[in-house]
Amino acid sequence: MLAKRIIPCLDVKDGRTVKGTKFVNLRDAGDAVELAEIYSEQGADELVFLDITATNEKRRTLAELVKKVAAKINIPFTVGGGINTVEDIDILLNSGADKVSINTSAVKNPNILSDAAKNFGSQCVVLAIDAKLVENVWKVFLNGGRIETELKAIECAKRGVNLGAGEILLTSMNADGTKNGFEIELTRKVSEAVNVPVIASGGAGTEEDFVEVFTKGKADAGLAASIFHFREIEIPRLKRYLKKRDIAVRI
Amino acid sequence: MKIAIVNYNAGNVESVKNALNRLSIEPILTDDAEVLGSADKVVFPGVGEASTAMQFLRERNLDETIKNLTQPVLGICLGMQLLCEFSEENDTKCLGILPYKVRRFESKDLKIPQMGWNNIFDLKTNLFEGVEENSFVYFVHSFYVESGAETIAACDYGIKFSAAVNHKNFYAVQFHAEKSSAVGERILENFLRGLNT
């Protein structure tokens, strides 16, 4: 049976991981390659590296980091942050990334999704959606949550999949950093709206939150950062917990 | 021991090379018929679309080269599918080494592609020596190889399909052994060091 995936997210800047609460107040949580190895050994099913400052600052170091990670770890990983062109994608995939996650440019220039899918296959094209509840509507935000759009999260997901996205990384900005649980309703709606896997992100605080997002939220994967970085939840224990709750996990 | 990786426009050539490096093997990436023919073992990776890959192989005469290999060959993911007779992916005639057709997953309930870790069972041959039944390995695919007499590992995703097959000197795995953690490493190690040439 296909297992639900547990994905630690490493927000990186200059090769080191950082994690903010609601996208500000960054804290240094360690060396990215070292952390990747630890997670891989702990039983993480996949890793996501987000170059959080990529849209603002230069990020030549990213490809180098990707190469180092690819040489070391034996599980799949996704790289995102500031990807604007097919050339950007080409560099990251050639450096050893298994997938790329595209956020801002997928909204500003949706053709990047179809071009990427045509050139490299949908399986490596992840559409990252940052959604925030504004006046009862889940709106898509860009540039690390700084720019509001009129686009609705579900429409964004559907359109992205039609263009060629092979997976959706759905972050609730309202839940992110709160540790009050994933955004179940939104995750379920997006998961039901598209026929590709959905990674739920934002809000994980307890083991039970993962149970909820996999059952009620119909997520295919659960992503979290600080609870893993600061060892508030250890992946082996989380997976044992999920297994006891009859959720298919790889142990 | 000389290990060659068929170097063509497949997405995961570097990942396979990295995985072999982790097993202290420095593979040769090549599309040269002579080098491939003289290697002790050959890995045939693959990520991408079948018809484009087949066209690329034909243009470089790699189709004939691969068919003529007599040493152990390991096809991975699209590499496995290309070793078959035919793929429903853009109705592509493939290499015809494995007597199987490649089908598209059809399901209303399941997400396509199958992406993630699934368990493999009914494990046969030395390729799976030391690998426990129902071990999890990493899959990413929208098409699958039917199960049959040559199936040496099965998997279930709405339908039971071949996670691995063996026909003469050709071995093939649908999952990404190079991304399947310790289990994948063991399978690669079995192929590289365990099977007799």
Side-chain angles (χ1 to χ4, degrees):
Chain A
M1 195 174 177
L2 188 65
K4 299 289 187 183
R5 286 171 281 155
I6 301 297
I7 308 178
C9 177
L10 293 80
D11 290 352
V12 296
K13 186 185 176 186
D14 302 328
R16 293 183 68 80
T17 62
V18 286
K19 174 63 191 175
T21 304
K22 296 192 177 181
F23 296 101
V24 291
N25 297 331
L26 304 177
R27 278 192 288 175
D28 193 331
D31 173 68
V33 179
E34 195 184 343
L35 207 53
E37 272 187 288
I38 291 169
Y39 286 137
S40 176
E41 281 161 19
Q42 281 189 342
D45 297 305
E46 209 168 310
L47 299 171
V48 169
F49 292 86
L50 285 182
D51 196 3
I52 53 164
T53 53
T55 38
N56 295 337
E57 295 170 19
K58 290 183 181 174
R59 53 191 181 91
R60 276 180 216 137
T61 49
L62 187 60
E64 286 308 310
L65 174 66
V66 170
K67 276 184 195 167
K68 282 185 207 160
V69 173
K72 282 270 184 181
I73 71 160
N74 55 15
I75 57 170
F77 68 99
T78 301
V79 180
I83 292 170
N84 290 316
T85 63
V86 169
E87 290 71 40
D88 291 341
I89 297 170
D90 195 27
I91 289 167
L92 294 172
L93 293 178
N94 269 318
S95 300
D98 297 285
K99 310 179 207 175
V100 291
S101 113
I102 308 170
N103 173 269
T104 302
S105 60
V107 173
K108 288 187 174 168
N109 169 29
N111 287 337
I112 192 173
L113 295 175
S114 43
D115 288 347
K118 200 162 54 189
N119 280 284
F120 313 108
S122 285
Q123 84 289 336
C124 66
V125 182
V126 182
L127 170 61
I129 301 174
D130 291 341
K132 190 175 175 180
L133 197 60
V134 181
E135 289 162 3
N136 249 350
V137 179
W138 283 102
K139 286 187 175 172
V140 175
F141 278 66
L142 306 179
N143 289 70
R146 288 185 287 271
I147 297 174
E148 183 178 342
T149 72
E150 287 307 306
L151 192 58
K152 290 176 188 166
I154 292 170
E155 296 311 314
C156 181
K158 278 189 193 169
R159 189 182 73 176
V161 170
N162 284 338
L163 285 167
E167 193 165 34
I168 304 286
L169 168 52
L170 178 67
T171 302
S172 160
M173 291 175 61
N174 298 67
D176 198 56
T178 64
K179 297 185 189 172
N180 288 332
F182 291 99
E183 200 66 60
I184 302 300
E185 191 68 12
L186 173 69
T187 306
R188 183 181 58 78
K189 280 183 182 162
V190 171
S191 189
E192 285 174 350
V194 296
N195 189 33
V196 300
V198 173
I199 305 168
S201 156
T206 67
E207 286 138 344
E208 192 60 26
D209 292 339
F210 286 88
V211 174
E212 293 267 306
V213 85
F214 290 143
T215 53
K216 292 178 190 160
K218 298 192 174 179
D220 299 280
L223 177 144
S226 52
I227 53 158
F228 294 140
H229 299 336
F230 297 104
R231 305 178 74 173
E232 289 161 26
I233 291 185
E234 303 251 9
I235 292 169
R237 203 183 72 192
L238 169 60
K239 285 195 161 182
R240 284 195 299 272
Y241 186 91
L242 293 171
K243 196 179 179 185
K244 266 189 205 158
R245 300 293 301 271
D246 287 329
I247 291 167
V249 285
R250 174 181 70 108
I251 291 187
Chain B
M1 189 165 55
K2 202 169 104 182
I3 307 292
I5 299 178
V6 181
N7 195 13
Y8 70 117
N9 64 338
N12 64 339
V13 172
E14 281 298 318
S15 296
V16 172
K17 180 180 177 288
N18 277 331
L20 268 47
N21 288 159
R22 285 193 290 270
L23 296 170
S24 305
I25 285 169
E26 190 54 62
I28 308 159
L29 273 62
T30 182
D31 58 2
D32 185 289
E34 222 164 274
V35 179
L36 286 169
S38 67
D40 295 309
K41 280 168 188 171
V42 174
V43 180
F44 180 38
V47 166
E49 190 273 321
S51 67
T52 317
M54 275 309 300
Q55 192 189 339
F56 190 94
L57 293 175
R58 280 197 202 96
E59 282 167 9
R60 285 154 187 79
N61 228 17
L62 277 167
D63 54 337
E64 289 305 315
T65 302
I66 293 166
K67 279 184 210 172
N68 291 331
L69 295 174
T70 54
Q71 67 276 58
V73 177
L74 179 67
I76 299 178
C77 196
L78 181 66
M80 173 185 193
Q81 299 182 359
L82 297 180
L83 290 172
C84 294
E85 284 173 358
F86 173 84
S87 173
E88 288 183 358
E89 188 172 21
N90 293 318
D91 291 334
T92 304
K93 185 176 182 291
C94 299
L95 294 167
I97 295 165
L98 305 174
Y100 292 103
K101 287 190 172 62
V102 182
R103 308 281 190 196
R104 181 190 291 274
F105 280 123
E106 303 281 359
S107 172
K108 279 176 192 160
D109 310 321
L110 297 169
K111 297 195 169 183
I112 315 287
Q114 161 165 243
M115 187 184 285
W117 299 79
N118 203 337
N119 56 309
I120 51 174
F121 50 93
D122 296 343
L123 307 180
K124 293 170 194 159
T125 78
N126 290 341
L127 190 66
F128 295 100
E129 198 187 320
V131 177
E132 279 181 38
E133 283 284 323
N134 291 312
S135 290
F136 280 91
V137 288
Y138 186 77
F139 290 89
V140 182
H141 61 135
S142 302
F143 297 81
Y144 66 91
V145 177
E146 312 160 300
S147 56
E150 282 90 352
T151 301
I152 55 170
C155 184
D156 200 321
Y157 192 63
I159 187 168
K160 194 173 151 187
F161 67 92
S162 288
V165 289
N166 169 224
H167 181 70
K168 296 177 184 165
N169 57 314
F170 287 88
Y171 292 78
V173 294
Q174 179 61 63
F175 50 89
H176 286 281
E178 76 280 15
K179 288 283 170 179
S180 292
S181 196
V183 173
E185 271 176 12
R186 180 63 198 253
I187 292 164
L188 287 176
E189 181 122 43
N190 287 342
F191 173 76
L192 297 166
R193 299 204 169 98
L195 300 174
N196 295 324
T197 45

